[in-house]
């Protein structure tokens, strides 16, 4: 593993080819898949973890980094871009495959740096410094309380290990400690009260930055919560926050209905998808944990596709306002095909396997509270409503007078259809 | 380099470093005290020859340092722990006695600033562990927590990057004291890492002026912000590991007490202060090489 890393680092540092990172990425993924750790039942003895969470998350990371790399090669700085992608891959790999709480926290905080660099260097509006500051401060404000809780955990259990044989021996920590752990990861997975950095960061980031942010970085919070679930005092947390999550799950979906900026709408839809995850965590069934993994995987696959579409449409129309982007069915049917497919994917509609995750959500959370069926119904219906809003506004409307709509080229079409095709085989394995 | 600026500065600095290295081997309290006094005088001579911009502040420095040194000596002889603690707080510019440090060090050149923040803290702190001085732990903990609180709050409202670094050195004083409570090795480790990071941070400043893109020394416009992030304790950078070591070792020897939790929470304020100030400098950075055809 070390020789592989060293030789690939050497290759990558001393050559300037554009697609070298893609080769490295595919080599990394195949190395991960075929390493012998996958074939043992007890995966806790090894350096990095290979359970179903990390398997699907690494696939998602590789996929998202691949398609966002394609959208980033228009920026001319090759070496820094490659370095940013490389470091992002390493840090996200670290979060997803570690079983050590300290390393989880270390890589979680380290993954801030590449996305900050992307937003500051390649973003396009002057407000990006404010959005980068918001992201940094929201994540860092829980740093030292989380360190305190982490060291309390160490002094209680004798090690930082979160691995499977020791989970049953861990007693849940006090309400304050579990709230601190929850809030640290709830900033990244945005839970409604701590999400204010997300729309700003998405609007100011470049397209590939938004794709990485929505595709991978939000899942770091989810995986962090999954790994530390045995430490959380779930009955006390649920008595404190269950009503909050139920109400704000629907509230965020309502907020999505009122958005006029397409990119901001997709950002808020990320928030609304991720708001289901704390509810599933509080249920703590097998079905709800499976649903969390599925939700994270499919959101990580569908959100970058949406951002990709936002980027292509922005390059065509020079605007992101829904009232101005009109009539794509007539003038660019390929884009409208992509939009309709993305619509079904992000809606968790039946042809796509994310439907299964929504069904599991409903079934597993009935045990938590029977009022959830009403909130779930409202959530699903309103998510249909806001998705249909942008679809009907952009695709099924009369055309706008702009001639730029005719100038879609196959170079924009090819990555999109490739990404859709790549989503399918892995998702079939989820069944 | 600053040391070679004049023969006097070279002489003063060499003698200063000689005394600094000899401090580790002195076993008699009175000899140690007199070497510490001599180092204080040499420091004043060094700052005089390197053109400190206000000479009256040197008098303030002299008065406070001699007062605290005499207090140290007298209270060591008469064995009064509380007052000995107060003498140390005065010498180290901790909670009730930190304003002189802010007014003084802000006007120093970069090299003296670095020296005063890092290496000049070594003699008093070494003294605590080497002679097993009895200090009143209640006052010490209170001062540590309140130092971090005040430095954190003041860092939130600062607009000047130099003042930010001054306040951060006061806040990191309390980290030094905490790291002392366990082990000399951890203190030296944290001191070395912090001083190296602060040195590279000060390298991005040109002279005494505040940093700006036009006068930045390296081709990378983000180097200043990266170094400030590193000092605040951000993970890939080494100061993070130093702080983790301090916290871990402190938790293993003394259990988690109330003051320590408060300290960690106040430290968040300091982190906020760093981040907020450095973000303002991002506005002045030009974004390079945007390919304007695809302007997302």
């Amino acid at each position: 593993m070390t020789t592989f890393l060293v030789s690939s680092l050497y290759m990558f540092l001393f050559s300037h080819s554009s697609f070298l990172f893609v080769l490295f990425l595919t080599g990394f993924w195949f190395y991960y898949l075929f390493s012998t750790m996958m074939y043992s039942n007890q995966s806790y003895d090894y350096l990095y973890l290979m359970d179903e969470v990390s398997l699907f998350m690494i696939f998602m990371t590789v996929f998202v980094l691949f398609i966002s790399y394609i959208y980033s090669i228009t920026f001319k700085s090759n070496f820094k871009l490659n370095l940013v992608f490389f470091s992002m891959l390493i840090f996200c790999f670290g979060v997803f495959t570690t079983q050590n709480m300290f390393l989880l926290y270390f890589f979680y905080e380290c993954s801030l740096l590449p996305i900050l660099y992307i937003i500051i260097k390649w973003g396009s509006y002057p407000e990006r410094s404010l959005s980068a500051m918001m992201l940094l401060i929201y994540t860092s404000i829980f740093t030292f309380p989380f360190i305190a809780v982490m060291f309390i955990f160490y002094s209680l259990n004798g090690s930082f290990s979160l691995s499977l044989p020791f989970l049953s021996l861990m007693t849940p920590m006090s309400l304050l400690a579990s709230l601190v752990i929850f809030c640290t990861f709830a900033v990244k997975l945005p839970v409604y009260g701590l999400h204010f950095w997300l729309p700003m960061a998405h609007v100011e980031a470049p397209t590939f930055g938004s794709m990485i942010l929505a595709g991978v970085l939000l899942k770091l919070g989810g995986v962090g919560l999954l790994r530390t679930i045995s430490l959380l005092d779930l009955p006390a947390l649920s008595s404190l926050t269950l009503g909050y999550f139920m109400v704000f799950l629907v509230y965020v979906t309502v907020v999505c209905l009122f958005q006029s900026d397409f990119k901001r709408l997709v950002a808020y839809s990320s928030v609304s998808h991720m708001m289901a995850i704390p509810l599933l965590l509080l249920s703590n069934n097998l079905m709800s944990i499976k649903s969390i993994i599925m939700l994270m995987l499919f959101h990580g696959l569908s959100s970058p596709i949406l951002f990709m579409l936002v980027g292509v449409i922005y390059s065509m129309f020079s605007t992101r306002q829904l009232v101005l982007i009109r009539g794509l069915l007539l003038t660019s049917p390929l884009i409208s095909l992509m939009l309709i497919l993305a619509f079904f994917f992000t809606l968790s509609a039946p042809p796509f396997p994310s439907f299964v995750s929504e069904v599991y959500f409903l079934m597993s959370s009935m045990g938590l509270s029977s009022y959830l069926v009403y909130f779930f119904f409202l959530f699903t219906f309103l998510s249909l409503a806001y998705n249909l809003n942008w679809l009907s506004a952009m695709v099924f409307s009369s055309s706008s007078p702009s001639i730029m709509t005719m100038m879609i080229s196959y170079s924009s079409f090819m990555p999109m259809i490739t990404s859709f095709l790549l989503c399918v085989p892995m998702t079939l394995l989820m069944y | 380099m600053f040391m070679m600026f004049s023969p006097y500065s070279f002489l003063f600095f060499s003698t200063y470093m000689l005394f600094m290295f000899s401090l580790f081997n002195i076993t008699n309290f009175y000899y140690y005290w007199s070497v510490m006094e001599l180092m204080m005088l040499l420091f004043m001579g060094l700052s005089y020859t390197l053109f400190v911009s206000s000479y009256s502040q040197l008098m303030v420095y002299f008065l406070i340092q001699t007062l605290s040194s005499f207090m140290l000596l007298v209270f060591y002889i008469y064995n009064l722990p509380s007052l000995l603690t107060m003498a140390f707080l005065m010498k180290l510019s901790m909670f009730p006695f930190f304003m002189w440090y802010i007014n003084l060090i802000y006007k120093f050149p970069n090299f003296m600033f670095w020296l005063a923040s890092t290496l000049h803290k070594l003699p008093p702190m070494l003294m605590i562990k080497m002679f097993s001085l009895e200090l009143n732990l209640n006052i010490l903990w209170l001062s540590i927590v309140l130092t971090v609180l005040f430095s954190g709050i003041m860092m939130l409202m600062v607009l000047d990057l130099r003042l930010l670094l001054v306040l951060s050195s006061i806040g990191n004083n309390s980290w030094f004291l905490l790291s002392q409570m366990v082990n000399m090795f951890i203190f030296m480790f944290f001191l070395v890492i912090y001083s190296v990071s602060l040195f590279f941070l000060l390298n991005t400043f040109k002279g005494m002026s505040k940093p700006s893109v036009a006068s930045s020394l390296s081709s990378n416009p983000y180097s200043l912000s990266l170094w400030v992030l590193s000092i605040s304790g951000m993970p890939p950078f080494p100061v993070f590991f130093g702080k983790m070591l301090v916290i871990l070792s402190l938790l293993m020897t003394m259990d988690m007490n109330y003051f320590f939790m408060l300290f960690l929470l106040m430290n968040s304020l300091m982190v906020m202060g760093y981040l907020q100030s450095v973000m303002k400098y991002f506005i002045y950075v030009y974004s390079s090489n945007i390919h304007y055809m695809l302007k997302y």
Side-chain angles (χ1 to χ4, degrees):
Chain A
M1 181 65 178
T2 50
T3 52
F4 174 73
L5 269 179
V6 165
S7 57
S8 54
L9 191 59
Y10 178 80
M11 264 172 28
F12 138 84
L13 281 175
F14 288 100
S15 93
H16 295 285
S17 145
S18 288
F19 279 99
L20 188 67
F21 178 71
V22 173
L23 292 174
F24 177 75
L25 203 57
T26 46
F28 192 85
W29 165 234
F30 282 112
Y31 179 78
Y32 182 72
L33 268 187
F34 295 130
S35 68
T36 54
M37 303 169 196
M38 198 175 172
Y39 304 111
S40 108
N41 283 328
Q42 298 151 338
S43 57
Y44 53 84
D45 284 339
Y46 301 99
L47 180 62
Y48 50 87
L49 203 57
M50 282 284 293
D51 57 354
E52 56 181 26
V53 177
S54 62
L55 182 70
F56 289 112
M57 292 295 122
I58 298 292
F59 169 71
M60 187 186 72
T61 310
V62 166
F63 172 77
V64 168
L65 285 177
F66 171 65
I67 56 177
S68 52
Y69 189 72
I70 294 175
Y71 276 88
S72 71
I73 56 177
T74 54
F75 297 101
K76 290 255 177 57
S77 58
N78 245 336
F79 174 67
K80 287 178 182 166
L81 202 63
N82 279 327
L83 188 63
V84 161
F85 272 93
F86 183 71
S87 56
M88 185 66 89
L89 176 67
I90 295 296
F91 295 145
C92 295
F93 181 77
V95 175
F96 291 138
T97 60
T98 178
Q99 49 195 352
N100 186 349
M101 195 166 172
F102 182 75
L103 277 181
L104 178 73
Y105 166 71
F106 175 74
F107 284 119
Y108 179 77
E109 295 276 321
C110 284
S111 67
L112 263 183
L113 285 171
I115 190 66
L116 277 178
Y117 192 72
I118 290 174
I119 292 178
I120 297 284
K121 192 171 170 74
W122 292 296
S124 48
Y125 297 106
E127 293 89 9
R128 66 187 186 273
S129 57
L130 177 67
S131 65
M133 177 167 86
M134 293 275 279
L135 170 61
L136 189 54
I137 287 183
Y138 266 86
T139 312
S140 308
I141 203 165
F142 289 105
T143 295
F144 278 97
F146 185 77
I147 289 174
V149 167
M150 192 166 67
F151 283 105
I152 289 174
F153 169 73
Y154 180 80
S155 57
L156 284 176
N157 289 327
S159 77
F160 283 118
S161 170
L162 291 167
S163 54
L164 291 164
F166 306 110
L167 278 181
S168 56
L169 299 174
M170 290 184 199
T171 56
M173 307 179 79
S174 68
L175 178 61
L176 183 62
S178 46
L179 202 60
V180 164
I181 296 178
F182 180 77
C183 286
T184 312
F185 294 114
V187 167
K188 260 297 172 56
L189 159 116
V191 171
Y192 187 76
L194 300 164
H195 78 293
F196 298 104
W197 59 274
L198 187 80
M200 299 171 68
H202 271 305
V203 169
E204 310 301 336
T207 299
F208 72 96
S210 286
M211 285 159 77
I212 296 177
L213 187 59
V216 180
L217 292 183
L218 302 189
K219 318 300 176 290
L220 298 181
V223 166
L225 277 176
L226 267 182
R227 298 279 187 222
T228 57
I229 196 173
S230 53
L231 307 173
L232 302 176
D233 186 4
L234 289 172
L237 258 185
S238 69
S239 69
L240 199 63
T241 50
L242 182 64
Y244 181 87
F245 294 142
M246 292 203 301
V247 167
F248 281 103
L249 177 65
V250 177
Y251 184 80
V252 183
T253 328
V254 169
V255 165
C256 285
L257 281 166
F258 291 98
Q259 297 299 322
S260 61
D261 185 355
F262 191 23
K263 199 162 190 184
R264 199 179 283 268
L265 191 147
V266 180
Y268 274 112
S269 80
S270 289
V271 180
S272 94
H273 280 130
M274 290 287 133
M275 275 298 284
I277 291 183
L279 274 170
L280 289 165
L281 262 173
L282 294 175
S283 319
N284 207 8
N285 300 325
L286 177 65
M287 198 183 275
S288 69
I289 303 292
K290 273 195 188 299
S291 176
I292 289 180
I293 301 172
M294 281 197 280
L295 259 178
M296 292 202 295
L297 172 66
F298 295 125
H299 180 257
L301 298 175
S302 68
S303 238
I305 292 175
L306 271 177
F307 278 111
M308 187 168 35
L309 287 164
V310 169
V312 169
I313 287 174
Y314 186 60
S315 70
M316 282 161 53
F317 284 89
S318 310
T319 176
R320 289 193 293 253
Q321 301 298 318
L322 288 174
V323 295
L324 293 175
I325 308 171
R326 290 275 168 188
L328 284 176
L329 189 63
L330 290 172
T331 55
S332 36
L334 289 176
I335 293 270
S336 54
L337 171 68
M338 292 291 109
L339 278 169
I340 292 170
L341 286 176
F343 166 76
F344 281 114
F345 199 2
T346 175
L347 196 53
S348 318
F352 292 94
S354 41
F355 178 66
V356 178
S357 67
E358 296 289 330
V359 171
Y360 278 10
F361 174 31
L362 180 64
M363 287 162 66
S364 62
S365 45
M366 290 309 288
L368 190 59
S369 157
S370 50
Y371 294 111
L372 261 165
V373 65
Y374 305 111
F375 289 97
F376 179 77
F377 166 70
L378 278 172
F379 164 66
T380 322
F381 178 69
L382 291 170
S383 63
L384 169 71
Y386 77 76
N387 280 314
L388 205 55
N389 184 25
W390 59 259
L391 187 74
S392 62
M394 292 202 291
V395 176
F396 299 110
S397 57
S398 52
S399 64
S400 75
S402 166
I403 52 172
M404 284 293 284
T405 60
M406 307 282 195
M407 295 172 80
I408 176 71
S409 64
Y410 285 105
S411 62
S412 320
F413 178 67
M414 195 276 291
M416 290 189 277
I417 193 69
T418 321
S419 53
F420 267 108
L421 287 175
L422 280 177
C423 287
V424 171
M426 208 61 196
T427 57
L428 286 176
L429 286 176
M430 278 304 250
Y431 287 109
Chain B
M1 279 302 289
F2 266 126
M3 293 169 272
M4 305 291 195
F5 186 72
S6 79
Y8 295 113
S9 64
F10 180 66
L11 203 63
F12 284 146
F13 186 69
S14 313
T15 325
Y16 185 85
M17 290 311 281
L18 177 69
F19 283 162
M20 175 89 63
F21 290 130
S22 73
L23 280 176
F24 288 94
N25 297 321
I26 299 178
T27 49
N28 191 347
F29 178 82
Y30 304 100
Y31 289 158
Y32 192 99
W33 183 87
S34 51
V35 168
M36 202 167 71
E37 282 294 293
L38 285 169
M39 281 176 72
M40 188 236 341
L41 288 172
L42 284 171
F43 182 80
M44 274 173 43
L46 197 57
S47 46
Y48 185 81
T49 55
L50 290 178
F51 300 123
V52 170
S53 61
S54 102
Y55 294 112
S56 62
Q57 293 289 342
L58 276 181
M59 194 60 182
V60 170
Y61 176 78
F62 175 72
L63 286 172
I64 290 183
Q65 291 285 307
T66 47
L67 177 66
S68 57
S69 300
F70 275 122
M71 278 170 73
L72 260 176
L73 190 64
V74 169
F75 298 135
Y76 177 76
I77 293 172
Y78 287 104
N79 203 12
L80 299 163
S82 318
L83 294 165
L84 190 64
T85 318
M86 298 301 269
F88 267 106
L89 296 180
M90 199 186 282
K91 205 154 182 70
L92 289 171
S93 73
M94 301 281 286
F95 166 62
F97 316 109
F98 57 89
M99 287 309 292
W100 67 268
Y101 188 80
I102 298 175
N103 288 328
L104 181 76
I105 301 292
Y106 182 74
K107 301 186 164 88
F108 275 8
N110 282 340
F111 181 70
M112 298 311 298
F113 174 57
W114 177 76
L115 201 65
S117 303
T118 59
L119 293 184
H120 203 59
K121 301 283 184 281
L122 193 66
M125 299 219 192
L126 261 185
M127 192 192 263
I128 299 175
K129 245 344 206 224
M130 276 177 71
F131 304 107
S132 311
L133 298 177
E134 300 171 2
L135 295 177
N136 189 343
L137 281 176
N138 285 331
I139 296 181
L140 200 63
W141 272 111
L142 191 66
S143 168
I144 285 173
V145 172
L146 285 171
T147 312
V148 181
L149 175 67
F150 278 102
S151 126
I153 289 177
M154 284 166 79
M155 284 207 294
L156 287 172
M157 53 188 197
V158 84
L159 287 174
D160 184 357
L161 199 61
R162 201 178 174 76
L163 198 55
L164 178 84
L165 289 178
V166 172
L167 291 166
S168 87
S169 76
I170 295 177
N172 283 112
N173 265 347
S174 52
W175 277 98
F176 290 149
L177 265 182
L178 270 183
S179 63
Q180 271 253 304
M181 285 182 185
V182 184
N183 207 352
M184 278 314 293
F185 174 74
I186 291 174
F187 167 63
M188 293 304 296
F189 184 76
F190 186 69
L191 183 72
V192 165
I193 285 182
Y194 177 73
S195 46
V196 168
S197 298
L198 190 63
F199 185 78
F200 284 115
L201 174 59
L202 287 172
N203 260 349
T204 63
F205 283 41
K206 195 173 164 77
M208 274 188 66
S209 60
K210 285 93 176 165
S212 67
V213 177
S215 65
S216 66
L217 293 172
S218 62
S219 59
N220 183 10
Y222 305 105
S223 59
L224 170 71
S225 39
L226 278 177
W227 284 113
V228 173
L229 277 180
S230 93
I231 285 228
S232 75
M234 197 72 191
F237 301 110
V239 181
F240 170 72
F241 291 106
K243 292 190 175 172
M244 288 299 114
L245 189 62
V246 170
I247 295 176
L248 180 66
S249 52
L250 206 64
L251 271 180
M252 292 302 111
T253 54
M254 325 182 161
D255 212 354
M256 181 75 87
N257 57 359
Y258 188 65
F259 283 120
F260 187 62
M261 280 299 293
L262 274 181
F263 172 78
L264 284 178
L265 293 177
M266 303 309 166
N267 211 35
S268 309
L269 277 177
M270 258 178 78
V271 172
M272 287 306 110
Y274 283 116
L275 299 180
Q276 192 190 32
S277 312
V278 83
M279 285 296 167
K280 287 172 188 151
Y281 279 91
F282 279 153
I283 299 175
Y284 298 115
V285 169
Y286 300 104
S287 64
S288 59
N289 290 350
I290 287 189
H291 192 209
Y292 283 107
M293 196 162 86
L294 298 164
K295 37 179 199 260
Y296 39 92

